[in-house]
Every structure is written in C-alpha cells, then in structure tokens.
Amino acid sequence: MKHLSRCRRHPIAALLAATLLAACGEPPQQVPAKPFAGQTIMLIVPNLHADLIRGPILDEVGPFEEQTGATVRVVTPGWNETIEKIDQSLSDPALNYDIFVVLPLWKGTFLHGNHIAPVPEWVKSRIDWEDVLPIYRNHVLTWDNTAYGLPYDGDCINLYYRRDLFANADYRRRFEAEYGYPLAPPRTWEQYRDIATFFNGWDWDGDGNTEYGHAGLRLKGDVTLLQFFARAAAYAKHPDHPGYYFDPQDMTPRINNPGFVRALEEYVANIAIGPPGMASYAGHDVRNAFAAGEVAMAIDWADLGIYSVNSPVSVIHDKVGYAQIPGSERVYNPQSSEWEARFNQPSSISGSWMFLVNRDSKYQELAFTFAAHMTSPELTRRLTATAGNAVNPSRFSHFDNAEAWEAGGFTTDSARRYLDTITESLQNPNVVTDITIPGAGLYYRALDDAIGRAVQGEMTAQQALDLAAEEWQAITDRLGREDQARFYRQTLNLPAD
C-alpha cells in the first residue's frame, strides 16, 4: 500500500483554503471569515441504530457552521422512510435536499433522472481522489466513467471468530471426533453451521453463563438484506455469469432459484444456533453479542473488528480472528439450471455509504465543501479506527495508518490480520455489489418484506422468494422492462444493446 504524507492543518481550515483557491499552484490566500454566511443546505441520511453513519455527520456540523457561517440541516428519517422521502424529493421541489448520504442502491434512480452533480476536479483534488481504492473509485462511486459519489465508507462483509476457542486443544479434539475434520475458520457455510452448532448452548468460556454458536443480522427493515445477499452468493453467484439478481437479457429475477432458496433455508434455520432473540437482531446486537463474549462467530462489516477491540462492552480485545465469509463446494448455474461441483467463495462490498450532491442545489459549492470535509482523508482516517460509527476503510491511506489502529485498541499483529482480511476480500474478482438500477429501493423492499416473513415462520423459503420474484417482475414492468434490462447490463459492464 502506498504511503501518503500530508501537512498538519485543521481539516476544516485546510478544506476552506483549498476550496477558495482559484487553481492548483496558486499562492496561499487569506480565507474569508464565514465564507458561506447566510447559506443553508439540507442533508438527508438514514437514522440507523446507535448513530451509525449519521453520528459523525451530526458531530461535524457544529464546527463546520462555526468556521464557515453556513447552516447545515440534517434530516434523519428511518430506513424505509428515507427511501420514501428521497423518492418524493425527486419529483417535489419543496423537498429538495442538497446532499444525499446513501448506499449505492440509489445510484440508478438518481443518475437515470440526472439529479446528481458530477464531482468537480477541485473536490477530487481536495479529497485526494487517487487515494481512494480502485474498487470504490472506479465502480461504486462512478457511473459511465464519471465520478458522482464521494467516499465516506468502504464496506466489505467478513467472518469474525474467537481465536482462543479455535485454538483450545480440548475443543479441537472434541470437534474433530464429532464432525470428522479439524476445527478451523469455516471454508464453507456447511462448516460454519457445524462449528456454530458445536459451540451453541453451553458454557464454553467458564463464566457460568450459556454461550451460543454465532450471531448475524435478521431485523426486517434494516440493512439486513445486504448480508443475506452476501451469504447467498456462495450458492447463487456463479463466477462465470455476471447476472446475480436478474437475467441480464430479459430481467427475469433469479432470486427464487435453488441457490437463493438454499441460502434462505439456512439463513432461517441458523437462527436456532444463535442467542435468544436473534430473529430481530440489528447490527449493534450482533456486535454487542460478539464483543461481550456471548457467541463464537459473527458475520458483519468491518465495524466489528474495531468494535471488538475498543468497545466498553468488549471482553475479547485480543481474542479475535478474521476471515473471509464462507463459500460453498457447489454453485448453481443459472444458464444450465443445474448445480455444479465447484468451490465458490465470493466477497461482498454491499454497503459503502457515499455523499451525493444534488445537481439543483442552490448552494452547490457549500454542499460540495461540506461533503468534501466529511469524506476527507484526514477525517475518515480517524473515523475508520473508531468504533461505533460504521465508517470503514475505503482508501490506501486507511491501511497505512498504523498509529490510528493501535490508538484504537489494536495490537500491531491484530491490526495486520484485520486489514489483511479486508484487503483479501476487496481483491476477490468474484464480488457482490448492490443493485444500482432505477427503482433499486423498490426491489430491496419487496425482498426484505418476503424474507422477513420467512424469518418469522409465515412462509417457507421457496414461497417467500417466489412472492418476491413476482413483485420484482411487477416493478420491472412498471418501470419499463427494456430500459431496466439496459441499465442492468450497463452496471455489469455488458453491452447495453
């Protein structure tokens, strides 16, 4: 990873100086006092649990307003309400937000309607665009080779496990005697279930309490669906066929094929080998359960790594292992409609929050200035090494920042293992990305509702996915099948026509 050196300046002051210079190489100029006095912008960001994503934004508003004279109003509706408000804002000028803090799933809706301003060169210079990892810079933040998003958070989903348990000689002997293979980080989801079953329902750490096998997201109406897609990829994301969610030619949904059905069946069944109440677990529940020593394994974004070492509830600071999410010895081929005996272990970068600036913003320079501050190397370097905000590494410099990781509670060895696992996930050529065509939020919501019914036992996995597939067909017809197919092929870098 490259090393970047920077002068030490107050990040907002440095940002304002860079913003107000007319061109690169111009001598320093006096920054006007309160350069944005009298200007007001409005930002929308979902209200997730425990101030995730929105927390740092709310923290930075006050200092930014003090130095710039601007007013930054932050709107924080719930997840589903955010989808509704964004959709309404695109057709109602009275609800016109200047900045959207969103997941890539909104890209298609925004960019299809020409609602987002491209990132100006002065902003790219200020945030050090070349420092952003290529997988985010060239794909997540870009559409048709034009940059629209500013990199706030770089997400990938990984496996976390208790190294001390996996190294315990007695547990290793007992596990191999029962399952016929050595106890190690699971290579497949079948092994994951074996290990979770082995550690479920007994006091394996000697604290007098019952512990459990694993923890994972299941809460309806949250970002849970992104983790389901990460899990299903082992069975349903064939490495030779880019169309994961739909058939790229005619937009027939693939979410109810045997690969997805198997994933959902296991997704529901594995609730029984987790803590009581896991059927309604959100992200903070997963992190608290793992950090508090209640479970042997967990699936989460990079948040859990930093949370485990510096959260007040953590009792496992130096006991955490990191690995890629499990794969499968078989993968479903959507072209032949058959299972293939082929090891398949995709990674997932679903998530990756970004700042988008409204093309119609009255105060676009102010909006980009605040967005550039929130996504700057200086601020995000600090945030990625701090627990409780869900801002994860997205830059080369985030991986070179040993002092910040050690200050955050990591040892040098644990920081290296944590960052190496993230790096391995990001370098995987078979990777799950978000749905980014117009109407993505509608597709997600329909599937989220159906999976929620399966989790609650109201439907079988096949019934739930069949229902969701029918709704996806209706959404596609409503939005225009030919247009949607063309947009989907573009997101896959396939010929549009």
Side-chain angles (χ1 to χ4, degrees), residues 149-150 163 166 173 184 244 253 271 274 302 330 352 355 363 418 494:
L150 280 73
R163 284 202 308 154
F166 281 58
R173 177 187 57 78
Y244 178 44
I271 295 173
R330 297 197 308 155
S352 304
F355 277 64
Y363 299 115
Y418 171 67
L494 298 174

Side-chain angles (χ1 to χ4, degrees), residues 238 241 254 257-259 331-340:
H238 195 285
H241 302 298
R254 289 179 167 168
N257 73 29
V331 59
Y332 186 75
N333 187 327
Q335 296 292 90
S336 66
S337 299
E338 295 179 348
W339 287 94
E340 291 182 6

Side-chain angles (χ1 to χ4, degrees), residues 41-180:
I41 57 173
M42 186 176 298
L43 176 153
I44 184 168
V45 57
N47 180 356
L48 303 177
H49 295 277
D51 282 344
L52 303 180
I53 297 299
R54 69 187 176 114
I57 298 171
L58 296 171
D59 291 342
E60 292 296 317
V61 164
F64 184 86
E65 291 180 333
E66 177 63 26
Q67 290 213 16
T68 66
T71 298
V72 180
R73 294 178 179 167
V74 181
V75 179
T76 61
W79 174 262
N80 284 334
E81 189 183 359
T82 298
I83 297 174
E84 295 170 359
K85 284 186 175 293
I86 288 176
D87 287 343
Q88 292 168 3
S89 75
L90 301 182
S91 58
D92 184 352
L95 296 173
N96 202 14
Y97 302 103
D98 299 274
I99 298 175
F100 305 93
V101 183
V102 295
L103 294 169
L105 66 91
W106 274 291
K107 269 197 336 186
T109 298
F110 282 129
L111 298 177
H112 172 58
N114 199 31
H115 297 291
I116 302 303
V119 179
E121 289 302 317
W122 67 264
V123 175
K124 288 184 178 180
S125 176
R126 171 60 193 102
I127 68 171
D128 195 353
W129 186 247
E130 294 303 311
D131 183 40
V132 181
L133 293 172
I135 196 168
Y136 301 118
R137 184 178 72 233
N138 299 332
H139 299 284
V140 175
L141 304 171
T142 300
W143 183 279
D144 196 21
N145 296 315
T146 300
Y148 291 94
L150 280 73
Y152 185 46
D153 160 55
D155 278 327
C156 66
I157 298 172
N158 293 303
L159 166 71
Y160 301 84
Y161 65 95
R162 287 285 298 272
R163 284 202 308 154
D164 55 329
L165 301 181
F166 281 58
N168 183 293
D170 181 45
Y171 298 165
R172 293 173 66 85
R173 177 187 57 78
R174 288 165 50 189
F175 180 87
E176 186 164 5
E178 184 171 350
Y179 292 97

